[in-house]
Amino acid sequence: MKIDVITIFPAYFEALELSLLGKARDRGLLDVCVRDLRDFAHDRHRTVDDTPAGGGAGMVEPWGEALDEVLAEGAPEGSRAPLIVFPSPAGEVFTQRMARELAEEPHLIFGCGRYEGIDQRVFDEYADRGRVRIVSLGDYVLNGGEVAVLAMVEAIGRLIPGVVGNPESLVEESHEEDGLLEYPSYTKPATWRGRDVPSVLLSGNHAAIAAWRREQSLERTRRIRPDLLPGDEGDAGDAESVA
Ligand code: 6GU
């Protein structure tokens, strides 16, 4: 997968060199290219965040030129047109379902706005020419899209085949499979500071363990996220529609 990011803070994305996604990049599973929006500014102050003092093209031009350049390079696979994602608290909410959808894309372009956001005509221009989604991380406000895009790239990137070593570990997670929260996990030792691992987990009875985990998932979901349960008002148990 090819991922382009346009931002005025490229340093945020140094985190993508770490851990599993960093390894995926080294192994060629993920090609991330981060560009500085200021490189597309016209004035010597490299203004991109507002109308330049004394008048000028404002921030529309740098966005247009940056996106045109990325689009002109084309996707490596060349098959499907790239999808442009603009992070914004005014967008549709990012969910595990959306992560799965976006993980199928050969080429994603993220345009990170700051402050008052991006001029509406930029969204309109690229929606007319291709595919655009405006996506929010959740119902709270960040100073800009960078941290949101980091979260999205991690959620999407780990679903690319080969990025996470054991694909089984992707299934039994919160928001996957049955749309419930994940059951509590325990490791070794069997007793720590007087706290025991639940005995069923040491029983070797796989059916009993599966039943216990299911009950724990249900109980936890009921308590913390009742909106995820099947039959909850406003959804039909579709975790992703509300997660
Ligand atoms: Cl995607 N951007 C910003 N600036 N704030 C947010 C967000 C995105 N998602 C939640 N809050």
Side-chain angles (χ1 to χ4, degrees):
M1 178 189 285
K2 175 92 199 297
I3 295 181
D4 286 288
V5 180
I6 304 165
T7 172
I8 58 167
F9 292 117
Y12 271 104
F13 296 93
E14 286 168 16
L16 296 177
E17 286 158 25
L18 306 173
S19 191
L20 283 180
L21 289 195
K23 288 201 188 89
R25 292 174 72 179
D26 295 342
R27 288 156 56 213
L29 295 170
L30 193 60
D31 176 11
V32 181
C33 178
V34 181
R35 290 151 210 266
D36 192 336
L37 183 65
R38 291 190 194 280
D39 292 344
F40 299 89
H42 289 207
D43 61 322
R44 68 190 172 85
H45 300 292
R46 311 221 304 152
T47 308
V48 288
D49 55 356
D50 205 347
T51 309
M59 65 183 295
V60 188
E61 274 311 328
W63 273 112
E65 289 177 23
L67 286 164
D68 286 351
E69 183 173 301
V70 173
L71 289 172
E73 283 175 12
E77 285 93 330
S79 50
R80 204 167 170 200
L83 174 67
I84 305 179
V85 177
F86 291 107
S88 163
E92 46 176 332
V93 176
F94 186 74
T95 60
Q96 190 64 25
R97 167 179 288 174
M98 199 190 295
R100 282 194 295 261
E101 273 172 41
L102 300 190
E104 305 280 328
E105 296 280 344
H107 188 192
L108 295 173
I109 301 168
F110 290 96
C112 300
R114 305 291 301 185
Y115 315 113
E116 294 305 309
I118 296 174
D119 190 302
Q120 182 62 37
R121 291 166 294 177
V122 175
F123 302 130
D124 297 344
E125 164 79 6
Y126 292 94
D128 282 351
R129 282 169 49 183
R131 295 185 301 137
V132 166
R133 286 178 87 162
I134 301 175
V135 182
S136 166
L137 217 53
D139 296 337
Y140 45 83
V141 180
L142 306 169
N143 286 332
E146 284 78 7
V147 168
V149 169
L150 275 176
M152 292 182 215
V153 169
E154 180 154 319
I156 295 162
R158 65 195 295 282
L159 298 178
I160 296 170
V163 171
V164 170
N166 175 10
E168 297 241 316
S169 68
L170 291 174
V171 177
E172 292 200 21
E173 285 172 330
S174 297
H175 307 292
E176 284 292 358
E177 202 166 40
D178 54 11
L180 302 176
L181 300 185
E182 196 179 11
Y183 48 79
S185 78
Y186 291 87
T187 55
K188 288 173 181 172
T191 301
W192 177 75
R193 298 191 180 175
R195 299 169 189 273
D196 295 332
V197 170
S199 56
V200 63
L201 297 180
L202 307 173
S203 69
N205 180 339
H206 296 292
I209 292 171
W212 180 86
R213 287 179 166 165
R214 173 89 189 154
E215 189 43 50
Q216 291 287 316
S217 278
L218 277 168
E219 186 282 322
R220 187 180 259 187
T221 309
R222 255 182 237 122
R223 182 162 41 87
I224 301 172
R225 292 293 305 278
D227 55 300
L228 297 179
L229 289 169
D232 184 74
E233 258 174 66
D235 78 284
D238 179 355
E240 288 92 0
S241 70
V242 291

